[in-house]
Amino acid sequence: MQTTGARLSAAPAALLVQGKHAGAWPAVRAVLDPAVLGGQLWGPRIFGLRGEPRCESVWNHLTDASVAARLWDASCDLTSVDPGALPGYCR
């Protein structure tokens, strides 16, 4: 049970951010909405922090294939995953 002080101190943040269910909404829409196209970025409508999902502009560095490859390689190294052992994976 939160104290009144704890609830009041969290109030300013509540104006900017949303709860877990609303926060998952853009990802769920991106996966389930048949009108969503591959390569689109979906996020909250209000300052990118809260609100209904909307299609956002994709920043250039998010589409850089060399950055994606470095991220994939680093992720495999850090998790000790062998991509060759993944079913259906080819690179």
Side-chain angles (χ1 to χ4, degrees):
M1 187 106 179
Q2 284 187 335
T3 65
T4 301
R7 284 195 307 269
L8 288 175
S9 68
L15 296 173
L16 296 175
V17 295
Q18 54 195 8
K20 61 185 174 189
H21 298 290
W25 197 6
V28 171
R29 176 153 186 205
V31 171
L32 298 178
D33 186 340
V36 172
L37 303 175
Q40 290 181 331
L41 175 65
W42 285 78
R45 185 172 303 279
I46 303 169
F47 302 117
L49 297 172
R50 64 179 301 128
E52 294 182 11
R54 70 171 177 185
C55 189
E56 302 278 348
S57 297
V58 179
W59 301 333
N60 290 336
H61 72 277
L62 296 177
T63 60
D64 187 326
S66 66
V67 172
R70 288 196 325 266
L71 175 60
W72 177 260
D73 292 340
S75 299
C76 289
D77 290 342
L78 291 169
T79 58
S80 301
V81 170
D82 176 11
L86 299 174
Y89 176 79
C90 60
R91 181 169 167 196

